[in-house]
Amino acid sequence: AQSVTQLDSHVSVSEGTPVLLRCNYSSSYSPSLFWYVQHPNKGLQLLLKYTSAATLVKGINGFEAEFKKSETSFHLTKPSAHMSDAAEYFCVVSVPSYNNNDMRFGAGTRLTVKP
Amino acid sequence: EAGVTQSPTHLIKTRGQQATLRCSPISGHTSVYWYQQALGLGLQFLLWYDEGEERNRGNFPPRFSGRQFPNYSSELNVNALELEDSALYLCASSSSDRVFNQPQHFGDGTRLSIL
């Protein structure tokens, strides 16, 4: 079975400084991995996805993530935080199964951006 | 392209009543998923519909049910409402391709409040 662990429940950065949101996964098969962002009272928006192509994945709004199989990690980064990045971020793992909805969501990381 | 739409935005009910939540998927998507996001509990998978059939359900009691219509829209019904049903209910849709790496696209949710 697969699972995903977001290592920090809350991350606080200053505007203009780098962002690092950490995600580790567990899977018996080659997984697909996703990062979503959720702003208050909104749904989840897809930031980026990894599906066994390039290990460095670029997403929207300047975010990127690197798939490291040896470390079973898929950390999300951004060089310079903006105030608008303050939100909840979810790491998601998906593996082949008969029930192709078998996506496992991490518990989320709340990102705070200080002026 | 129109995204996933959910209605109503907010719904206020009292204990014991019944609630109906509605979801229209992205055009061309046949899979619809329902999630419950209660405060402090993360995203909990409720139901998955595809091609009009219920394909999988999460660990929720039978008073949570739903259906998918021929136009692929869906509704979630919650009977005998309890206080702990208060949550944001999110609907997502994905492509009909039965591959595990298709991301889910989310609506903005229905906020259900039980008084």
Side-chain angles (χ1 to χ4, degrees):
Chain A
Q2 69 276 12
S3 65
V4 60
T5 302
Q6 292 184 241
L7 300 173
D8 307 290
S9 60
H10 186 208
V11 170
S12 180
V13 301
S14 297
E15 190 175 21
T17 64
V19 175
L20 170 63
L21 305 183
R22 299 183 295 164
C23 172
N24 284 356
Y25 70 92
S26 172
S27 175
S28 302
Y29 303 94
S30 295
S32 283
L33 294 156
F34 309 85
W35 275 99
Y36 285 85
V37 61
Q38 184 180 31
H39 288 94
N41 297 311
K42 292 291 188 180
L44 277 67
Q45 179 185 17
L46 180 67
L47 277 177
L48 50 80
K49 66 176 183 178
Y50 165 78
T51 55
S52 75
T55 57
L56 182 62
V57 182
K58 293 188 182 300
I60 62 171
N61 301 335
F63 284 95
E64 63 182 35
E66 186 172 8
F67 174 72
K68 292 187 176 180
K69 186 176 180 178
S70 61
E71 299 177 10
T72 61
S73 69
F74 190 59
H75 301 335
L76 181 70
T77 61
K78 182 173 181 177
S80 176
H82 295 158
M83 296 298 292
S84 60
D85 295 327
E88 188 93 15
Y89 291 79
F90 293 93
C91 182
V92 182
V93 63
S94 176
V95 294
S97 71
Y98 173 75
N99 294 323
N100 76 323
N101 74 318
D102 200 2
M103 298 176 72
R104 303 298 172 93
F105 288 78
T109 297
R110 180 163 301 278
L111 176 65
T112 300
V113 182
K114 298 175 290 186
Chain B
E1 172 184 271
V4 177
T5 57
Q6 293 187 243
S7 63
T9 304
H10 294 91
L11 191 56
I12 299 175
K13 295 285 185 178
T14 58
R15 288 176 60 188
Q17 285 189 314
Q18 184 255 353
T20 298
L21 289 63
R22 296 180 175 84
C23 173
S24 292
I26 290 172
S27 178
H29 287 183
T30 64
S31 278
V32 170
Y33 312 84
W34 288 96
Y35 294 88
Q36 182 194 67
Q37 189 176 31
L39 197 62
L41 293 180
L43 265 76
Q44 305 293 320
F45 168 69
L46 266 167
L47 289 159
W48 169 36
Y49 291 95
D50 183 58
E51 299 282 359
E53 300 286 332
E54 181 181 302
R55 301 298 186 184
N56 199 11
R57 65 179 292 129
N59 188 26
F60 281 84
R63 58 190 185 84
F64 286 84
S65 66
R67 55 181 171 166
Q68 187 178 35
F69 299 98
N71 66 353
Y72 304 116
S73 67
S74 176
E75 66 179 32
L76 173 69
N77 296 293
V78 188
N79 295 319
L81 287 164
E82 300 178 2
L83 292 176
E84 54 264 33
D85 297 333
S86 293
L88 181 67
Y89 287 83
L90 292 168
C91 173
S93 72
S94 72
S95 167
S96 58
D97 292 336
R98 293 182 184 273
V99 290
F100 71 99
N101 59 1
Q102 293 295 326
Q104 297 179 14
H105 300 268
F106 286 79
D108 283 341
T110 293
R111 173 74 61 185
L112 176 61
S113 299
I114 312 302
L115 304 180

